[in-house]
C-alpha cells in the first residue's frame, strides 16, 4: 500500500493476481512456467506518456518489486516484465526446464536469430566438430 501511495504517476498500477486452481494442477515441469504453486503473482505496471519520465517510472516499479522481494519466490513471470536481463531470465526457470528450453533453441534457432525477447541463448556452437548425437530430444519429437 505504501509503495502504491508513492507511485510515479496516476498511470502506475500494482496488480495482484490470485493463482491456484487449474494453474496449480499442472506439474511444475509440464510447461516453462514453473512457479505454479505460488498463491499470488504481483506485477508493477509503470506507464508514462512522456519519455523523459521513463527513468522515474522504472525506478518506482523496481522499488515496488524490491518492497516484496523478501516474501517472493525470487523469480519472475517473464511475460509480465519488459525488462529482464540474462540473469533474470535464467533465474525464472528451474534447471531442468531451462535445459529443455535450450534444447528447443538449439534445434530451432541455433544462430539465435530470435533474440529480441527474454532470450534463451542456444548452446555454444563448436566449429567444425561432429554433431552431438546425444543432444536432448524435444518432448513429442518424432524420429
Amino acid at each position: 500500500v505504501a509503495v502504491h501511495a508513492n507511485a510515479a504517476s496516476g498511470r502506475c498500477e500494482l496488480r495482484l493476481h490470485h493463482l491456484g486452481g487449474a494453474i496449480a494442477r499442472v506439474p511444475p515441469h509440464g510447461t516453462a512456467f514453473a512457479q505454479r504453486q505460488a498463491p499470488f503473482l504481483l506485477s508493477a505496471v509503470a506507464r508514462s506518456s512522456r519519455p523523459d519520465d521513463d527513468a522515474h517510472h522504472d525506478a518506482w516499479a523496481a522499488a515496488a518489486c524490491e518492497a516484496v522481494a523478501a516474501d517472493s519466490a525470487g523469480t519472475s513471470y517473464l511475460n509480465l516484465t519488459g525488462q529482464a536481463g540474462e540473469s533474470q531470465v535464467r533465474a525464472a526457470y528451474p534447471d531442468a526446464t531451462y535445459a529443455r528450453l535450450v534444447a528447443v533453441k538449439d534445434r530451432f534457432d541455433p544462430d539465435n536469430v530470435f533474440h529480441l525477447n527474454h532470450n534463451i541463448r542456444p548452446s555454444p556452437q563448436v566449429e567444425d566438430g561432429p554433431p552431438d548425437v546425444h543432444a536432448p530430444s524435444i518432448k513429442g519429437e518424432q524420429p
Side-chain angles (χ1 to χ4, degrees):
V1 171
V3 169
H4 194 268
N6 294 317
S9 74
R11 299 183 72 194
C12 294
E13 303 173 21
L14 290 176
R15 296 179 180 174
L16 187 63
H17 307 268
H18 183 260
L19 302 180
I23 291 171
R25 288 193 290 269
V26 176
H29 59 277
T31 68
F33 174 43
Q35 298 298 332
R36 294 178 173 277
Q37 304 308 313
F40 299 99
L41 176 76
L42 177 75
S43 62
V45 180
R47 287 190 215 87
S48 173
S49 58
R50 297 180 17 204
D52 57 322
D53 282 346
D54 286 352
H56 180 61
H57 283 73
D58 289 348
W60 173 81
C65 293
E66 184 64 30
V68 299
D71 296 310
S72 78
T75 186
S76 298
Y77 179 54
L78 296 177
N79 285 357
L80 297 180
T81 184
Q83 300 174 348
E86 191 169 344
S87 63
Q88 188 178 7
V89 170
R90 178 60 190 92
Y93 304 104
D95 291 342
T97 301
Y98 192 80
R100 281 193 347 252
L101 293 172
V102 170
V104 169
K105 190 74 167 199
D106 289 348
R107 173 77 190 271
F108 294 103
D109 187 19
D111 296 324
N112 206 23
V113 172
F114 299 103
H115 64 274
L116 297 177
N117 53 9
H118 301 308
N119 191 34
I120 305 290
R121 293 184 182 276
S123 299
Q125 301 297 312
V126 177
E127 298 280 330
D128 300 318
D132 184 0
V133 295
H134 302 290
S137 65
I138 298 166
K139 186 175 182 178
E141 181 181 285
Q142 297 298 317

